[in-house]
Amino acid sequence: MEKILIIGANGQIGSELFDALAGRYGQANVIAADISPNSLFGAPSYECLDVLDAGHVAQVIEQYDITQVYQLAALLSVTGEQAPLKAWTLNMNGLLNILEIARERRQAGKPLKVFWPSSIAAFGPHTPAVDTPQLAVMDPTTIYGISKQAGERLCEYYFSKFGVDVRSIRYPGIISYKSPPGGGTTDYAIAMLVAARRGERYVCYLRADTILPMIYMPDAIRATIELMEAPSENIRVRSSYNIAGLSFSPAELVRAITSRVAGFEVDYAPDDRQAIADTWPHSLDDTHARADWGWHAATGLDALVADMLRNLSPAAGKLHRVA
Ligand code: NAD
């Protein structure tokens, strides 16, 4: 019987992952944890937990006899640039704490499977931008990207040196309507869809032609669970897998929206986030994920826009979690 702990469960991904895992493994077997005192979505089993407090994390894992940890707590690309040391400390030490606990538990005969997400931010200006290969030059320019690149090396190290069963995906920008995004460079896409739904004009902080890899939340959640459920011997990449969802620019998103929302208008006022976006890939080659664990994306741009507009609340001043 799997017992699952999600750390960072109140966030954009964690809250949806909770629903998916609870549906699959039973609510009683999924424990939500976050640094905030309460579950933002009423998780029945919730722990207020700082991932930087290794002793407390180990105690919770022991208490529930946890077999899988999803370590999602992090500062993202934009919030990370506002507090680089905090981002480095949280992103690196949070992962290290989990890997160390997994190493110790494995030695004690209590294996702990770990999921930790990397990001397209681990790439940089000298990475081939189109169909970025799994193995490519990586010279990230943000503290967030640097922490993701280093984290990938740690994951591979803990697998090859200590046999820790750690698995990872380089998530593209994730688009969702249930929970608000956490401060990334790709958040504009969600903000634009919210503005369209509310009948407002939108000011985009990226240039109209900035193509970035994105993925719809249901695809991202499915990828995560498929990777975690794949047989260990199939997982040949222990740093982090490229997965492709879809790639589009703000101008292409506007076109897809205006075919459904007549009169929607966007102004462009690129800010600091443009410099970050300019160092990231346009599209990803996900051959390894397809071959190793059968990954394929299901949602294209038109279907994504239609589903987002259908599900976003018209009154939403900001995104709110819906059941
Ligand atoms: P988010 O900011 O929405 O959620 C992060 C959660 O971590 C928050 O609920 C926060 O309260 C919690 N947290 C912060 N510090 C903590 C601590 N010390 N201990 C415990 N919890 C703490 O982020 P997200 O978008 O859900 O991202 C989750 C992971 O996925 C991150 O590692 C992120 O880098 C990665 N990722 C996300 C995207 C995306 O588009 N959302 C893309 C690429 C990678």
Side-chain angles (χ1 to χ4, degrees), residues 49-61:
L49 184 65
D50 180 353
V51 72
L52 296 178
D53 183 346
H56 191 193
V57 177
Q59 181 214 311
V60 167
I61 288 172

Side-chain angles (χ1 to χ4, degrees), residues 13 29 37 45 48 55 106 128 139 144 175 177 180-181 189 209-210 216 223 230 241 250 252 268-269 305 316 322:
I13 299 171
N29 295 314
S45 299
C48 174
R106 187 171 183 277
D139 54 347
Y144 175 66
I175 300 178
Y177 57 84
D209 63 351
T210 311
Y216 199 31
Y241 278 99
E252 287 165 320
Y268 293 93
V305 167
V322 294

Side-chain angles (χ1 to χ4, degrees), residues 62-308:
E62 179 65 24
Q63 177 190 334
Y64 290 96
D65 209 5
I66 296 295
T67 58
Q68 295 186 16
V69 172
Y70 292 75
Q71 172 10 35
L72 306 179
L75 280 195
L76 276 71
S77 58
V78 175
T79 43
E81 288 309 288
Q82 289 155 9
L85 270 183
K86 187 177 169 197
W88 177 258
T89 305
L90 173 60
N91 296 7
M92 294 320 309
N93 293 352
L95 171 62
L96 257 179
N97 285 347
I98 302 301
L99 290 173
E100 268 298 292
I101 292 167
R103 180 183 69 75
E104 285 165 6
R105 287 186 77 82
R106 187 171 183 277
Q107 274 175 352
K110 300 175 186 171
L112 182 67
K113 202 189 272 189
V114 176
F115 178 82
W116 168 84
S118 183
S119 161
I120 56 168
F123 296 114
H126 294 90
T127 304
V130 177
D131 285 338
T132 301
Q134 176 65 41
L135 284 171
V137 170
M138 297 172 87
D139 54 347
T141 57
T142 59
I143 194 73
Y144 175 66
I146 295 167
S147 74
K148 290 300 188 189
Q149 186 192 25
E152 289 191 13
R153 303 321 309 149
L154 280 177
C155 289
E156 192 172 292
Y157 181 77
Y158 269 76
F159 171 73
S160 53
K161 181 123 181 139
F162 304 120
V164 171
D165 189 356
V166 53
R167 305 171 183 208
S168 177
I169 288 172
R170 290 172 181 149
Y171 285 140
I174 299 181
I175 300 178
S176 65
Y177 57 84
K178 287 187 181 170
S179 298
T185 304
T186 52
D187 292 357
Y188 87 84
I190 299 178
M192 190 186 282
L193 284 152
V194 170
R197 187 69 180 88
R198 299 178 67 201
E200 292 175 354
R201 202 178 174 97
Y202 179 67
V203 180
C204 184
Y205 57 78
L206 296 182
R207 274 193 327 269
D209 63 351
T210 311
I211 298 173
L212 288 169
M214 302 277 192
I215 192 165
Y216 199 31
M217 183 64 91
D219 280 348
I221 297 290
R222 180 171 52 80
T224 306
I225 294 175
E226 285 176 1
L227 172 64
M228 284 297 271
E229 291 184 350
S232 182
E233 60 275 17
N234 290 13
I235 308 304
R236 290 180 295 177
V237 173
R238 293 293 182 160
S239 51
S240 190
Y241 278 99
N242 278 6
I243 61 166
L246 63 167
S247 286
F248 58 81
S249 65
E252 287 165 320
L253 180 57
V254 172
R255 270 199 295 281
I257 292 174
T258 47
S259 73
R260 295 170 188 279
V261 182
F264 176 59
E265 287 187 274
V266 171
D267 302 307
Y268 293 93
D271 65 17
D272 293 353
R273 289 167 278 191
Q274 184 68 51
I276 298 178
D278 285 343
T279 69
W280 288 0
H282 301 169
S283 57
L284 303 171
D285 175 355
D286 60 4
T287 308
H288 288 264
R290 288 170 180 274
D292 291 359
W293 44 279
W295 163 247
H296 69 280
T299 316
L301 183 56
D302 277 332
L304 179 153
V305 167
D307 204 53
M308 284 291 289

